[in-house]
């Protein structure tokens, strides 16, 4: 469709270096064709042009002092994409790979994901090329304080509510929140992922992983299957991977892999969750430690990966849960999964599969849950944290988990029904993109030309 081609060409011309952003826009826009053809109002109102152009892009310098007294400088970003249905909402990523293209792809995805949750949240994302790995707690604290010295003026409980992402966990949120409170003299729900003593929500830590497994369960129900007794592969070993494995184990599945930026573990007996938590949540160490503790587990360092493949996806499994980072599963990996009988892919990470891999899954008609639907549980419980902060009433674990479960069911049924409405039954990429798009686009039209 000409309108879609024009949008994709426009962003390539305007932002030639932002490859991940091109990919995210292509993935969304190519599935919007039926809705754009059916309703001329979206093109008439330049909705795609407005959606791919953030409301506001804040780029700033963060200057801080390391433990040796040396001054360090990092780049940082907050990109506020769209607030038509609620305050900007999306995580902060601290990782050396962070650049404007990565933050823009994440922020763009977040618009549709947040719309799918049914809660009132717009889309935004932020972060820095700061690497918390190998830094002392004091260095992380000084960086977070310096980061907030600029960020505080752009955020607010009804304006923009950041959260965690890669490299930003409970420790970083604590330092960021403390500095926000110090500067503004306000105690409000300006960040989510807070600790329980000062406004956090139960289940937020577990939400993305648990939600991703609930979503897989919904997809599998449609084909009369479940996870009980099934072998599953998981990539990553951070927040999302850990709580995906925890829920898989509760459902009777056997998760056999984990990975990090240095290598992967294949543990046929099933991942030892307590050991994994000790290594990643307490010691913040590499997965090599896992193989030292568990002799039967096989460790493959990244230096031994064959060109262009991620060995996690070459281990036979019934269901796969990519939970590390973008583009970690390519066409070769997708083919290997299908050849080995994989029936379900539920994405915990954002855009972990390349476009070619996504097409392969869709064509094979397996249960494929794209990240913006399958991993929406994290931001959904962030939304519940905002509701608890606003009412100053904490909810119980059971109450919050039940609500998370209901939201994941509703995201699945919304995506599934929308796919049927547009003659793409079973294609949750089309269903999720159109369902999220319609809610935001119609709200933009209602509110006039802005
Ligand atoms: P964490 O920082 O807790 O963990 C990230 C994991 O991925 C670590 O194991 C890390 O390895 C690994 N990893 C990161 N980059 C690479 C890379 N380039 N190659 C190989 N492994 C890598 O992050 P999260 O678990 O929070 O996030 C994981 C994914 O889930 C991201 O895509 C994030 O955007 C997405 N997501 C997270 C949500 C949340 O609530 N946390 C919500 C929705 C999506 P190492 O330990 O060596 O750094």
């Amino acid at each position: 469709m000409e309108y879609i081609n024009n949008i994709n060409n426009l962003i390539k011309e305007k932002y030639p270096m932002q490859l991940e952003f091109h990919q995210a826009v292509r993935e969304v826009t190519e599935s919007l064709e039926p809705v754009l053809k059916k309703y001329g109002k979206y093109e008439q109102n330049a909705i795609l042009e407005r959606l791919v152009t953030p409301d506001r892009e804040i780029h700033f310098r963060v200057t801080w002092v390391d433990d040796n007294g040396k001054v360090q400088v990092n780049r940082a970003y907050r990109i506020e994409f769209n607030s038509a249905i609620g305050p900007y909402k999306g995580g902060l990523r601290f990782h050396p790979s962070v650049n404007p293209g990565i933050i823009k792809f994440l922020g763009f995805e977040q618009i549709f994901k947040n719309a799918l949750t049914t809660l009132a949240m717009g889309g935004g994302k932020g972060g820095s090329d700061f690497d918390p790995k190998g830094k002392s707690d004091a260095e992380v604290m000084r960086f977070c304080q310096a980061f907030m010295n600029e960020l505080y003026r752009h955020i607010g409980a009804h304006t923009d509510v950041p959260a965690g992402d890669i490299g930003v966990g409970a420790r970083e949120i604590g330092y960021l929140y403390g500095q926000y409170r110090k500067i503004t003299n306000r105690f409000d729900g300006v960040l989510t992922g807070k600790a329980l003593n000062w406004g956090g929500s139960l289940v937020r830590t577990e939400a993305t992983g648990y939600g991703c497994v609930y979503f897989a369960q919904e997809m599998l129900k449609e084909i009369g299957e479940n996870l009980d007794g099934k072998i599953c592969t998981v990539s990553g070993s951070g927040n999302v991977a850990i709580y995906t494995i925890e829920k898989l184990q509760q459902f009777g599945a056997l998760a056999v892999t984990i990975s990090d930026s240095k290598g992967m573990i294949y543990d046929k007996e099933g991942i030892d969750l307590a050991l994994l938590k000790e290594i990643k949540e307490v010691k913040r160490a590499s997965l090599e430690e896992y193989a030292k503790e568990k002799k039967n587990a096989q460790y493959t360092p990244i230096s031994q990966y064959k060109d262009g493949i991620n060995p996690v996806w070459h281990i036979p499994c019934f269901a796969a849960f990519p939970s590390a980072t973008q583009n970690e599963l390519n066409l070769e990996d997708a083919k290997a999964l299908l050849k080995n009988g994989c029936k379900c892919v539920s994405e915990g990470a954002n855009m972990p599969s390349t476009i070619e891999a996504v097409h392969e899954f869709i064509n094979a008609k397996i249960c494929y849950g794209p990240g913006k639907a399958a991993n929406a549980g994290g931001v959904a419980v962030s939304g519940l944290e905002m509701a608890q902060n606003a009412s100053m009433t904490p909810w119980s674990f059971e109450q919050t988990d039940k609500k998370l479960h209901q939201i994941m069911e509703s995201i699945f049924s919304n995506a599934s029904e929308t796919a049927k409405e547009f003659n793409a039954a079973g294609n949750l990429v089309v269903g999720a993109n159109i369902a999220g798009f319609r809610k935001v686009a119609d709200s933009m039209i209602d509110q006039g030309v802005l």
Side-chain angles (χ1 to χ4, degrees), residues 81-391:
F81 248 99
N82 190 291
S83 63
I85 64 164
Y88 306 105
K89 180 91 196 86
L92 297 170
R93 176 176 290 191
F94 292 169
H95 193 272
S97 65
V98 163
N99 60 43
I102 289 191
I103 299 300
K104 277 176 73 177
F105 114 66
L106 290 163
F108 183 72
E109 289 273 295
Q110 200 82 42
I111 305 172
F112 308 98
K113 181 190 310 197
N114 293 3
L116 287 170
T117 64
T118 70
L119 305 173
M121 297 182 292
K125 199 83 187 186
S128 171
D129 57 7
F130 171 75
D131 188 359
K133 246 183 258 160
K135 305 284 189 304
S136 69
D137 285 353
E139 287 177 318
V140 171
M141 182 181 76
R142 288 196 293 274
F143 173 81
C144 288
Q145 291 174 340
F147 183 89
M148 189 52 84
N149 283 345
E150 174 59 34
L151 189 70
Y152 84 95
R153 66 186 96 244
H154 307 289
I155 61 176
H158 299 283
T159 315
D160 182 357
V161 186
D165 190 76
I166 291 178
V168 179
R171 174 182 60 170
E172 290 75 14
I173 293 289
Y175 295 145
L176 290 165
Y177 192 78
Q179 187 70 356
Y180 174 85
R181 193 172 55 74
K182 175 89 180 164
I183 300 170
T184 62
N185 195 23
R186 290 177 66 88
F187 189 99
D188 51 26
V190 70
L191 294 172
T192 57
K194 302 186 288 297
L196 296 177
N197 284 336
W198 40 276
S201 172
L202 285 161
V203 193
R204 178 58 190 92
T205 307
E206 297 85 352
T208 308
Y210 279 21
C212 190
V213 178
Y214 293 148
F215 195 85
Q217 195 188 29
E218 291 306 305
M219 293 194 286
L220 289 169
K221 260 192 221 161
E222 291 281 296
I223 58 163
E225 274 288 3
N226 61 53
L227 289 160
D228 191 21
K230 305 293 195 321
I231 291 179
C232 297
T233 48
V234 179
S235 63
S237 50
N239 172 267
V240 178
I242 288 173
Y243 293 95
T244 293
I245 294 171
E246 186 164 288
K247 187 51 74 178
L248 284 172
Q249 292 182 349
Q250 288 172 13
F251 282 175
L254 193 71
V256 294
T257 59
I258 37 176
S259 64
D260 64 13
S261 50
K262 298 210 175 73
M264 64 135 342
I265 289 283
Y266 175 36
D267 186 346
K268 266 189 210 155
E269 294 163 3
I271 296 299
D272 180 333
L273 196 57
L275 177 59
L276 172 61
K277 284 185 180 179
E278 173 69 19
I279 293 169
K280 287 293 174 183
E281 293 186 335
V282 182
K283 293 187 188 158
R284 297 175 190 270
S286 135
L287 285 179
E288 213 172 346
E289 296 288 310
Y290 186 100
K292 284 185 192 151
E293 292 290 327
K294 250 196 117 189
K295 299 289 175 215
N296 290 340
Q298 194 182 312
Y299 178 69
T300 311
I302 206 161
S303 56
Q304 286 175 23
Y305 287 13
K306 292 202 190 93
D307 262 359
I309 68 151
N310 181 344
V312 169
W313 312 127
H314 297 251
I315 305 286
C317 68
F318 171 79
F321 294 83
S323 312
T325 193
Q326 63 272 4
N327 293 327
E328 55 162 317
L329 193 165
N330 65 18
L331 181 60
E332 289 307 303
D333 301 323
K335 284 183 175 162
L337 278 167
L338 295 171
K339 187 165 152 255
N340 287 327
C342 176
K343 296 282 181 288
C344 173
V345 176
S346 192
E347 294 183 341
N350 284 311
M351 209 169 73
S353 308
T354 61
I355 289 196
E356 296 73 25
V358 173
H359 290 162
E360 194 75 5
F361 294 141
I362 299 286
N363 291 339
K365 296 196 182 323
I366 62 160
C367 300
Y368 169 68
K372 69 170 70 66
N375 72 34
V379 74
V381 174
S382 278
L384 303 181
E385 183 173 329
M386 288 161 71
Q388 293 170 70
N389 292 163
S391 65

Side-chain angles (χ1 to χ4, degrees), residues 404-424:
L404 166 65
H405 206 150
Q406 283 167 353
I407 290 174
M408 297 315 295
E409 284 169 357
S410 122
I411 294 174
F412 172 76
S413 66
N414 188 5
S416 173
E417 291 307 313
T418 307
K420 284 181 200 153
E421 185 188 335
F422 288 92
N423 297 321

